[in-house]
Amino acid sequence: MTKYIAQRLLLMIPTILLLTLMVFILMRVLPGDVVTLILGDETGGGFTKAGNVSVDVLRKRLGLDQPLPMQYLTWLGDMVRGDFGRSLYSNIPVMDDILLRLPITVQLALMGTIAGMLLGIPMGILSAVYHNSWLDQVLRFLGIVFLAVPSFWLGLVVILTGSIWFNYVPPIGRNVLWESPIDNMLQLMWPTLILASLGMATIARMTRSTMLEVLREDYIRTARAKGLSEQVVIVRHALKNALIPVVTLAGLTFANLMGGTVILEQIFSIPGMGQFFITAILKQDYTIVQSTLVVFAVVFMLVNLLVDLTYGWLDPRISYS
Amino acid sequence: MKSFSLRRPWRSSMAAFLIPLLTFLLACGPGEETTPIPAATATPTAMAVVTATPTVARAATPSPTSQGPAATPTSTSVAVPTPTSTPGEQPKRGGTLLIVTAGYPESFDAKLLTNSLGYYEWNAKLYNNLVANYEDDKIECDVCTGWRVENSGKTWVFDLIRGVKFHDGRELTAEDVKYSLELQMGYVDGLVSPRGGLIKEFIETVDAPSKYAVRINLFRPTTIQNKLLGIGASVIYPKGTIRTDLQSKPQGSGPFLLTSAVSGSGYVMDRNPNYFKPGQPYLDRIEMTSVADLNSRNALFLVGKTKYYGDLRDSTVQGFMPTLEKMTADGKVSRKTVLGGCGPTGVWMNIAKPPFNDIKVRKVFNLATDRKSLDTVMMGAYGHASLMGFVAGMPYAVPEEKIWDIVPGWGTGAKKQQEIGQAKQLLIDAGFPNGLDILQFHTAISAGDVHIGHEPYQQMLKAVGVRTTLQLMSGPDQLERMNKGNYTFQVYILCQTTHDPDEGIGQQWITGGARNNVGYSNPEVDKLFLQMISESDFAKKKVIFDKIQDIIVLQDVAWAPTTQSNGANFWWKDLRGFTTGMNTWAAAGMWRADRYWLQP
């Protein structure tokens, strides 16, 4: 097992290197000039364009006058040493910003995924156990509804309904769990439920289909023939075997939510990674985009590794030794 | 279908549904009650929808040349202005004000920030200016006791208030003012302030003849420099401040001290107990939070959590405007209309290149532009007719009734149909009997939401025989292409700071102008512009401006202006001392919040 984990971790290195190169090139071929963007269309702050030196001064100050390979190697070298660079706009170390935002995004993604599983798995089980009953139809209908409704719409419904009818808005700004737990929970409650509704729908559908498959297996019939209670048959024999694709899905959902909650972060004023990342892309803040993508990639790969390791626990036939 | 009966899996699943439901009900609860303040206690200034008038503008800008040597203005300001409140009302100390804006400033360097709105608004509370603009077009002293004009209007001497302290305890002196303005003009490190660097076109040198006197020597007699000195970019730093100093903390003397800042999220600012204006600021604390979503900002204002809503344009909040108007009518909130920070709005044509180097083609585009329809689409019918970015009621505006159905291209109804016919014929005359195929810039996001107008405008052009292909591009790409003149045409909006024609014409329409992205050049306009910026008398200046406007809009048809939206400012009536400056965002004074107070 240890050897397997070490191998997987080592394999991440070339993946990350390739990613850094791709991201670097992609960011530089995007049309538009970050220096012009920082200084705006009145770059010289005067009447005429002639004689305005700000663009050159700023380009040099930001190190953007260096050849591209040099810029890439400098960034890469710094990153290896743990320095992810500084924002081109604020000069704040990117890692400071990431550390500020990552916890709240991880928390939101985790809560959304867990809540989605807590809702989706029972729904899927019920749908499968009561296959083709009216309960199954209702749950499937709910699943499709929540899949179809975009999260931003649900977010706006919460905000606008709350303010217009109930004189209520959730807390705003940065409320981390260990500093202001109540505000944190009140703020994250709605986005969690919205994310959960999406996760719930996909997880429920996946659970239903895998459960249906498993429930038709011979060993389930054997378990029932042995006289085991229906609960034991479903939870201990059927569900555990049906969970592998569900866990994969949950892992991917969590990884996607790490960077995919931007709209909800905007609506609920949560200063998380999604908002940070999108703002950086719009402003072409190269260092933030590059470094954040590396962080996302690492998180994504680690989650995948964790999911793979979970398979072994769920299915004893899978071994990494 | 199978039958269904309650068994254990069902019962355990019920909890999963009930818990969120109960949480929802608990969270919605009764909520915080906001108590509307009776209309009788409203501030008189807040009741009316006010727009700046020429009278205000003239009063605000002393006119050395027009008044002659004997009438050269002396001190026109007071050291400690009184807050705007209902007469007889005593401002009350205390309270916390929550302010939400769309963005977060990337640094504390107000001189280098360009993405205005919330950015100036955030930093203004931490700094002071030499002069400030708190209300309408009025420029008043901030850290000065007054000013006098010498040398036939070419020299302005400001006497500073003694004992003004930066937050680190150092005293603010003339050397700090001199250093800050030189930094702004790019004389210190080569970086000219994008928004405030325009002062270098007017200010030749800044001297500090004594510790408490600043002498500003102008290239020519003018008054716009005072407006520019009152914007958020013209704040005062301690001498020697470098850019990196401002990335981690502010270096100001303002009414509020920075207590904490969470990057991308918010500031907490506490009252500066050593602020030089007696008794001010009245608020104990200001919490600023970035709320990116417009609906969420609306919601926060609606429930009264945030007390003012002041960085908007009517058109931006068109969906929410009926609610705001109802709240105003119900006496819950006050409203004041000022010029939006962004404008003029219109169709930018790259006249340096074919086909727009042909005036006939420009006329085709101008005549094809259905302003009424575009106004409905882009401005939610909240727009006003404007030829050069000044709307009715403003000093340099042409009255709307003199534009609609009179100025070519501004026809409505049958007149518009007639113009469309003219446009078709002009296109044939211009050498395009089979119509014109051309690329049209299309940006997904834009200031003032004008990007909504791209596709309707495409249809308008189609009606006269111009077939366009929309070229979708990002904001950075658009900016770079415009700066390099590498585009065809687009619906666009230009944001300014002062909305003084010296700024607008000077940057956009003179030959080689810093923001002259249409490639316009007319020696007559260049000549008139030099006359205009040297003219301090409003009436004479307006005559020159009108000539320039006629040449650009009517004679050369250098662009096709469309309607423009005003700025919207709403505030709850328990917030007192709130004033609005020359436009929605540029004025440092209105955002400084040293005069705000909360009625318990």
Side-chain angles (χ1 to χ4, degrees):
Chain A
M1 173 75 90
T2 314
K3 191 181 170 190
Y4 173 77
I5 294 173
Q7 275 176 348
R8 287 284 300 266
L9 290 174
L10 281 173
L11 272 174
M12 284 183 190
I13 296 172
T15 312
I16 291 171
L17 277 175
L18 191 65
L19 178 94
T20 58
L21 190 62
M22 280 174 60
V23 171
F24 184 87
I25 293 170
L26 279 174
M27 283 307 292
R28 304 309 157 115
V29 297
L30 276 179
D33 175 21
V34 65
V35 174
T36 309
L37 207 56
I38 291 172
L39 295 173
D41 55 350
E42 67 281 63
T43 49
F47 280 151
T48 59
K49 289 174 182 166
N52 290 332
V53 291
S54 293
V55 173
D56 296 332
V57 170
L58 194 57
R59 201 180 302 284
K60 191 171 181 183
R61 182 170 296 179
L62 296 174
L64 298 174
D65 59 332
Q66 298 289 315
L68 285 181
M70 185 63 77
Q71 288 182 40
Y72 173 69
L73 290 174
T74 306
W75 170 61
L76 198 62
D78 289 345
M79 205 165 56
V80 169
R81 289 191 293 272
D83 178 2
F84 279 57
R86 288 169 178 265
S87 160
L88 299 178
Y89 285 77
S90 67
N91 204 39
I92 293 174
V94 177
M95 193 39 80
D96 287 6
D97 266 327
I98 289 175
L99 290 176
L100 200 69
R101 289 170 168 80
L102 199 59
I104 202 156
T105 300
V106 170
Q107 187 194 351
L108 181 58
L110 210 56
M111 283 168 59
T113 309
I114 291 171
M117 289 175 76
L118 287 176
L119 294 170
I121 292 174
M123 274 176 70
I125 295 170
L126 286 172
S127 272
V129 171
Y130 303 108
H131 180 50
N132 279 346
S133 70
W134 66 263
L135 178 67
D136 180 29
Q137 305 288 354
V138 168
L139 293 176
R140 283 166 67 191
F141 172 75
L142 279 177
I144 288 170
V145 166
F146 282 114
L147 268 179
V149 175
S151 58
F152 72 85
W153 185 82
L154 286 174
L156 289 179
V157 165
V158 170
I159 291 288
L160 295 178
T161 309
S163 61
I164 293 169
W165 290 354
F166 299 98
N167 203 33
Y168 162 81
V169 282
I172 56 170
R174 185 171 184 268
N175 300 290
V176 286
L177 189 60
W178 49 91
E179 286 170 7
S180 43
I182 293 173
D183 280 347
N184 172 272
M185 282 297 161
L186 288 174
Q187 183 182 25
L188 295 191
M189 175 178 67
W190 296 112
T192 296
L193 286 175
I194 292 166
L195 290 176
S197 71
L198 288 172
M200 169 199 79
T202 48
I203 288 170
R205 289 178 72 80
M206 179 63 82
T207 308
R208 179 182 181 275
S209 58
T210 51
M211 278 292 285
L212 279 175
E213 206 173 301
V214 170
L215 285 172
R216 290 188 191 114
E217 295 284 340
D218 290 344
Y219 67 88
I220 296 294
R221 195 181 308 120
T222 307
R224 282 183 175 139
K226 280 188 343 191
L228 294 177
S229 71
E230 189 64 12
Q231 190 177 0
V232 172
V233 171
I234 288 169
V235 176
R236 204 173 287 173
H237 291 261
L239 182 62
K240 201 172 174 187
N241 285 304
L243 272 183
I244 287 183
V246 177
V247 168
T248 310
L249 185 66
L252 290 174
T253 304
F254 171 75
N256 283 333
L257 290 183
M258 285 296 297
T261 58
V262 59
I263 295 176
L264 288 178
E265 284 178 8
Q266 289 216 346
I267 292 172
F268 291 96
S269 308
I270 302 165
M273 289 294 289
Q275 203 174 30
F276 180 57
F277 185 55
I278 293 294
T279 309
I281 289 176
L282 291 174
K283 294 194 299 189
Q284 295 200 343
D285 198 330
Y286 301 142
T287 40
I288 291 183
V289 176
Q290 291 163 188
S291 304
T292 310
L293 267 175
V294 170
V295 171
F296 281 155
V298 170
V299 170
F300 207 91
M301 286 186 278
L302 288 175
V303 169
N304 267 322
L305 175 61
L306 202 66
V307 167
D308 287 350
L309 295 176
T310 316
Y311 292 163
W313 174 72
L314 288 169
D315 188 345
R317 289 171 301 178
I318 300 172
S319 167
Y320 296 110
S321 58
Chain B
M1 278 190 183
K2 282 184 181 177
S3 63
F4 163 71
S5 63
L6 274 177
R7 285 196 278 180
R8 273 184 188 171
W10 166 248
R11 288 202 298 272
S12 56
S13 298
M14 283 292 284
F17 290 100
L18 285 173
I19 290 168
L21 184 66
L22 284 170
T23 319
F24 173 86
L25 293 171
L26 282 171
C28 289
E32 270 183 45
E33 287 297 323
T34 45
T35 311
I37 306 299
T41 60
T43 57
T45 52
M47 291 301 287
V49 175
V50 187
T51 311
T53 63
T55 316
V56 173
R58 283 194 295 274
T61 49
S63 168
T65 53
S66 65
Q67 293 176 1
T72 300
T74 55
S75 179
T76 57
S77 59
V78 288
V80 186
T82 51
T84 304
S85 299
T86 304
E89 257 189 351
Q90 281 301 311
K92 293 181 177 60
R93 170 81 58 82
T96 298
L97 182 67
L98 171 71
I99 296 172
V100 297
T101 73
Y104 182 89
E106 291 107 347
S107 84
F108 298 104
D109 189 353
K111 294 186 190 297
L112 202 55
L113 293 172
T114 53
N115 206 344
S116 49
L117 291 174
Y119 297 0
Y120 282 26
E121 188 176 342
W122 289 59
N123 285 329
K125 294 158 181 65
L126 302 163
Y127 294 100
N128 284 105
N129 292 44
L130 186 58
V131 294
N133 169 224
Y134 279 86
E135 197 164 8
D136 300 326
D137 260 6
K138 283 180 275 187
I139 304 295
E140 54 189 74
C141 264
D142 197 17
V143 299
C144 65
T145 57
W147 63 74
R148 59 185 180 278
V149 183
E150 298 170 350
N151 191 18
S152 302
K154 280 182 71 178
T155 300
W156 290 56
V157 181
F158 296 82
D159 296 314
L160 300 186
I161 297 172
R162 293 166 191 237
V164 177
K165 295 278 174 63
F166 287 109
H167 295 169
D168 63 5
R170 277 182 284 177
E171 189 181 14
L172 189 153
T173 67
E175 287 293 339
D176 300 311
V177 178
K178 174 178 155 62
Y179 176 80
S180 298
L181 296 183
E182 288 176 346
L183 183 71
Q184 191 165 324
M185 292 188 280
Y187 302 155
V188 175
D189 60 2
L191 276 177
V192 183
S193 167
R195 295 286 192 198
L198 193 62
I199 58 170
K200 73 185 169 70
E201 301 291 343
F202 303 97
I203 296 175
E204 188 175 13
T205 55
V206 182
D207 302 325
S210 75
K211 193 176 178 184
Y212 301 108
V214 177
R215 185 165 56 216
I216 293 179
N217 302 301
L218 305 175
F219 288 115
R220 61 189 79 82
T222 181
T223 54
I224 188 185
Q225 86 284 344
N226 265 18
K227 273 188 184 176
L228 288 167
L229 292 173
I231 66 171
S234 302
V235 295
I236 302 169
Y237 304 145
K239 185 180 177 181
T241 300
I242 54 172
R243 308 279 179 187
T244 46
D245 293 342
L246 297 160
Q247 277 152 356
S248 55
K249 60 175 183 173
Q251 308 277 331
S253 55
F256 292 92
L257 303 165
L258 186 74
T259 303
S260 65
V262 177
S263 170
S265 177
Y267 289 177
V268 174
M269 291 174 282
D270 286 310
R271 183 176 185 274
N272 176 3
N274 301 317
Y275 194 51
F276 65 96
K277 297 182 184 178
Q280 295 181 15
Y282 303 113
L283 296 169
D284 285 338
R285 172 170 279 199
I286 290 183
E287 292 176 1
M288 299 206 62
T289 303
S290 166
V291 177
D293 184 71
L294 178 66
N295 290 292
S296 301
R297 296 200 299 278
N298 289 341
L300 286 160
F301 182 74
L302 187 63
V303 302
K305 282 213 170 183
T306 183
K307 294 293 179 188
Y308 79 74
Y309 205 14
D311 53 3
L312 301 163
R313 303 174 76 245
D314 288 350
S315 55
T316 313
V317 286
Q318 53 185 269
F320 194 54
M321 193 57 90
T323 309
L324 291 169
E325 284 170 345
K326 185 174 184 307
M327 289 169 78
T328 311
D330 291 346
K332 288 182 179 176
V333 301
S334 300
R335 173 185 183 169
K336 189 172 179 184
T337 299
V338 292
L339 181 65
C342 286
T345 313
V347 181
W348 261 244
M349 296 171 272
N350 188 351
I351 65 180
K353 291 181 180 174
F356 296 109
N357 55 355
D358 182 351
I359 191 171
K360 286 182 190 148
V361 176
R362 298 202 295 272
K363 282 183 178 174
V364 169
F365 276 64
N366 182 51
L367 292 169
T369 308
D370 182 348
R371 272 82 178 177
K372 278 284 179 203
S373 299
L374 274 182
D375 182 51
T376 307
V377 174
M378 295 195 303
M379 309 284 174
Y382 281 102
H384 302 277
S386 161
L387 297 183
M388 294 291 283
F390 298 100
V391 295
M394 291 175 61
Y396 295 92
V398 177
E400 287 204 69
E401 62 274 17
K402 290 188 177 175
I403 297 177
W404 290 111
D405 290 322
I406 293 175
V407 175
W410 287 83
T412 58
K415 173 92 175 165
K416 189 73 235 170
Q417 293 310 313
Q418 196 185 334
E419 288 179 344
I420 289 170
Q422 289 170 6
K424 285 177 181 170
Q425 185 56 49
L426 269 169
L427 193 64
I428 295 167
D429 296 347
F432 299 100
N434 299 318
L436 170 66
D437 292 289
I438 192 168
L439 281 175
Q440 179 182 353
F441 258 36
H442 185 307
T443 46
I445 302 170
S446 68
D449 295 332
V450 295
H451 59 277
I452 302 167
H454 294 314
E455 288 175 41
Y457 191 55
Q458 184 183 37
Q459 297 306 313
M460 289 170 200
L461 291 174
K462 195 176 172 186
V464 300
V466 177
R467 295 172 296 271
T468 74
T469 303
L470 291 172
Q471 192 180 17
L472 188 66
M473 64 188 59
S474 65
D477 191 16
Q478 177 199 33
L479 200 58
E480 193 182 13
R481 284 177 187 233
M482 285 189 70
N483 275 348
K484 291 182 176 168
N486 181 22
Y487 73 104
T488 50
F489 76 97
Q490 64 175 328
V491 181
Y492 188 64
I493 187 167
L494 190 81
C495 299
Q496 300 180 53
T497 50
T498 62
H499 286 92
D500 191 292
D502 288 2
E503 179 188 352
I505 304 294
Q507 288 200 317
Q508 199 192 348
W509 295 109
I510 63 167
T511 304
R515 305 173 82 184
N516 184 348
N517 299 317
V518 298
Y520 182 71
S521 176
N522 185 327
E524 181 65 13
V525 168
D526 295 348
K527 195 175 123 193
L528 285 168
F529 170 70
L530 288 176
Q531 287 176 23
M532 183 175 72
I533 57 172
S534 299
E535 184 56 71
S536 298
D537 179 80
F538 172 76
K540 289 178 185 172
K541 191 167 181 162
K542 187 172 184 317
V543 170
I544 303 172
F545 170 76
D546 287 345
K547 280 185 194 167
I548 293 174
Q549 182 171 257
D550 286 351
I551 293 171
I552 294 170
V553 179
L554 303 178
Q555 179 192 304
D556 293 342
V557 197
W559 77 310
T562 58
T563 58
Q564 186 173 325
S565 169
N566 272 321
N569 292 277
F570 294 88
W571 65 99
W572 280 82
K573 291 205 167 170
D574 51 346
L575 173 64
R576 304 302 174 94
F578 180 80
T579 53
T580 53
M582 56 182 127
N583 60 31
T584 48
W585 58 276
M590 69 180 280
W591 298 121
R592 185 150 293 139
D594 49 4
R595 299 177 185 179
Y596 298 175
W597 58 280
L598 291 167
Q599 176 72 47

